[in-house]
Amino acid sequence: MGFLSTAITLYCDYSRPPFVLPPSPSSSPSPFSAAAFTFTELSASTVDVHFLLHRYRHLEDKMANQDDTHDASGSRNNVEKEIKRGLIVMKSIIRARDKGEKFEVHWSAEDQLIEPNGSMLASYIGSLVRQHIPITCDNWRSPELKVGKEKIWSEIQRSFHIDESRQKYCIQLAGKRLRGFRSFFSNKFLKDEEGNFVEAERPMKYADIISAEEWDNFVAKRRNKKFHEVSDKNRKRASKPAYPYKKGRTGYARLQQRILAEEKSDATSLPEHVLWKAARVGKDGAVVEAVQNVYDECETLSQTLPSPEVQDCRSVLSRVLNVPEYSGRGVRVLV
């Protein structure tokens, strides 16, 4: 048995019987988890296989979670410097990258990310932001973030087939993910149920990506009087939207793609007011009366407008809501 016997010898401690095999990390119950076994109760081949499977799973998970960026020397210290802000958790992307594979990215007619792989890229950008941009950053246009932004873009290109013309879109999305991450920490750890700011220690769950110094600086900024004034103003403005968006992070582009796929339609887009209404339907399928009224008015108005204007359904919805015509889909969330 050679190598396997040596491995078992190194792994087992005969001085402390009974020898208990480590629990299997898989979801299926291990045949050895019901009771402790002494080494003599198991055949050598059984122990060999179980040990190697356990070690393989452990090493595979460990390697998949590490950023494999190396410099010319390939030293361990340089690798640790690259991952000091936290480990990448999207294992499927890392494993594909290690195999030299890249994911295709698709875009809607309005230049929005869609499936397949649209949500994967959006989530990956969020994980890259947490690694390369400090949580204390309040100005996304700061020149100090240039290196971090370049790193984010280069990491995206390593794992996705994406044109250089999409860099601006991805970096803007990274800025949104950073704002969302900061808001999450403020609401989750620094506010009580009434929305009042409270004292809180650094959550150890995020100790790998947020240092003690960063956390103290982040909390200090949240104690600032000016920040409280802006926060209160924004919270009141967003607390009671007339037509709340109810599709989470799905976004209009992917929502439209999903609806068209479910209907098996050959169309490339939906009328604006139809998509607007669909984005405001909850999981229970109920439609708020105010949303239904807007939709009905859009339907009525579309019957009276000349054909060219009906084709541009943005103008229909804009007229009913009495707001400036959109320059992009993201504005609709604020309506």
Side-chain angles (χ1 to χ4, degrees), residues 103-324:
F103 295 95
E104 297 291 339
V105 181
H106 301 270
W107 306 83
S108 70
E110 294 83 9
D111 288 330
Q112 300 292 313
L113 274 175
I114 57 175
E115 304 301 344
N117 304 326
S119 56
M120 177 190 292
L121 174 56
S123 297
Y124 186 53
I125 290 175
S127 69
L128 292 174
V129 166
R130 292 191 290 272
Q131 289 183 74
H132 302 295
I133 305 296
I135 194 175
T136 52
C137 167
D138 291 326
N139 182 9
W140 186 244
R141 296 180 176 85
S142 173
E144 298 178 358
L145 301 182
K146 181 180 179 180
V147 175
K149 291 178 180 179
E150 291 176 348
K151 181 65 175 177
I152 290 172
W153 176 240
S154 66
E155 289 297 310
I156 292 173
Q157 290 182 303
R158 291 178 65 193
S159 297
F160 293 86
H161 288 291
I162 188 166
D163 190 78
E164 288 286 344
S165 62
R166 304 294 184 179
Q167 181 177 4
K168 181 178 179 180
Y169 178 96
C170 292
I171 297 303
Q172 287 178 340
L173 180 56
K176 294 177 182 178
R177 290 290 178 264
L178 177 63
R179 291 194 296 274
F181 191 49
R182 290 202 311 263
S183 296
F184 164 75
F185 269 93
S186 293
N187 295 326
K188 178 72 173 180
F189 302 106
L190 299 180
K191 291 183 180 180
D192 58 20
E193 295 181 354
E194 286 73 34
N196 301 313
F197 280 84
V198 297
E199 297 293 332
E201 296 182 355
R202 178 180 57 146
M204 296 311 297
K205 178 179 178 180
Y206 300 93
D208 288 338
I209 60 175
I210 300 177
S211 67
E213 181 181 0
E214 284 180 331
W215 177 255
D216 291 340
N217 291 337
F218 178 74
V219 173
K221 289 185 176 182
R222 265 52 188 171
R223 291 185 187 138
N224 184 278
K225 182 179 179 181
K226 183 178 180 180
F227 176 84
H228 280 216
E229 293 174 353
V230 175
S231 177
D232 291 340
K233 181 180 179 180
N234 290 337
R235 185 171 67 250
K236 290 178 182 179
R237 183 177 61 180
S239 61
K240 295 181 180 180
Y243 314 105
Y245 180 87
K246 295 188 177 182
K247 297 303 179 182
R249 293 175 57 183
T250 300
Y252 285 96
R254 294 200 293 272
L255 175 61
Q256 177 174 256
Q257 183 186 28
R258 186 171 67 194
I259 293 174
L260 292 174
E262 291 174 352
E263 295 179 353
K264 298 181 179 179
S265 173
D266 295 330
T268 57
S269 63
L270 294 168
E272 289 292 302
H273 64 286
V274 174
L275 184 59
W276 182 87
K277 175 185 175 181
R280 284 155 180 80
V281 177
K283 293 181 179 180
D284 57 359
V287 181
V288 178
E289 183 178 359
V291 172
Q292 185 64 46
N293 291 339
V294 170
Y295 174 82
D296 293 338
E297 288 186 46
C298 287
E299 284 283 280
T300 302
L301 182 58
S302 64
Q303 303 299 322
T304 63
L305 292 177
S307 179
E309 291 192 51
V310 173
Q311 292 178 0
D312 182 11
C313 293
R314 293 184 181 184
S315 62
V316 176
L317 189 54
S318 297
R319 292 188 189 190
V320 172
L321 294 174
N322 193 28
V323 296

